[in-house]
Amino acid sequence: MNKNFAKAEMFIRKDVAEVFQAMVDPAITTKIWFTKSSGKLEKGKNIEWEWEMYNHKVNVDVLEIVENQKIIFNWRNHDSPSIVEWKFNKIKGGTFVSVTNEIKHDTPEKLIAEVRDSTEGFTLVLANLKAYLEFNILLNLVGDRFPEM
């Protein structure tokens, strides 16, 4: 991994299998992250995610899936490819989830902006996931991040 990355982590009081499935199954991820998906995450597949409220689409190339342990994909968010790795660690009382996004840019300003945006974005996704899995609450943090002014 290069030294330029964004990272977000969260403890979720649910079994690792349930947390992992929530992130590969678009029936759940469309409630907490994006609004549409062309399919379930599976190794070797290219998936399209859409955030309808922002009129934004992203292509995701699924590079690796290790059941209940890891998801790695390459996505072209804002036309800048980057590798995202989700790790799921079973610990006492639940699952510790870590998301790392490797980021490369040609200027320090663009790099800093994307690290900031990615850290914030994945933190919101993890908080949404935690609220949904632990309390069955849909917080809509991603949808409410950029309201119309």
Side-chain angles (χ1 to χ4, degrees):
M1 179 185 299
N2 77 40
K3 63 181 178 168
N4 301 317
F5 61 91
K7 189 171 195 171
E9 297 178 309
M10 182 71 65
F11 174 62
I12 299 174
R13 290 176 178 85
K14 288 293 180 177
D15 182 70
V16 69
E18 184 177 353
V19 178
F20 179 86
Q21 283 305 313
M23 293 314 302
V24 298
D25 182 358
I28 297 172
T29 46
T30 54
K31 293 177 182 181
I32 61 146
W33 192 3
F34 40 83
T35 56
K36 285 186 178 177
S37 174
S38 64
K40 182 178 180 178
L41 293 183
E42 296 173 359
K43 183 178 179 176
K45 285 183 80 175
N46 178 272
I47 305 294
E48 183 178 82
W49 291 338
E50 183 176 353
W51 290 259
E52 294 169 293
M53 64 287 216
Y54 302 128
N55 194 30
H56 183 70
K57 294 181 183 180
V58 171
N59 286 308
V60 176
D61 294 316
V62 184
L63 304 176
E64 186 176 354
I65 300 264
V66 179
E67 189 81 14
N68 301 331
Q69 294 178 31
K70 183 178 5 178
I71 301 167
I72 300 175
F73 57 82
N74 186 3
W75 70 346
R76 289 170 291 289
N77 196 17
H78 304 289
D79 298 322
S80 180
S82 64
I83 302 293
V84 177
E85 181 173 9
W86 289 73
K87 290 184 180 178
F88 304 83
N89 294 299
K90 182 178 182 169
I91 61 174
K92 183 179 179 181
T95 305
F96 189 73
V97 183
S98 178
V99 185
T100 307
N101 187 11
E102 259 188 68
I103 299 169
K104 297 176 186 168
H105 272 293
D106 52 354
T107 68
E109 294 79 17
K110 287 181 182 178
L111 177 65
I112 290 167
E114 187 153 343
V115 167
R116 182 188 59 240
D117 291 348
S118 185
T119 300
E120 178 183 88
F122 284 118
T123 299
L124 293 176
V125 172
L126 287 172
N128 262 351
L129 180 63
K130 179 179 182 69
Y132 181 71
L133 292 179
E134 288 186 19
F135 304 103
N136 200 30
I137 297 171
L138 295 173
L139 295 176
N140 200 36
L141 297 174
V142 174
D144 290 343
R145 173 59 187 98
F146 299 105
E148 287 188 42
M149 300 288 192

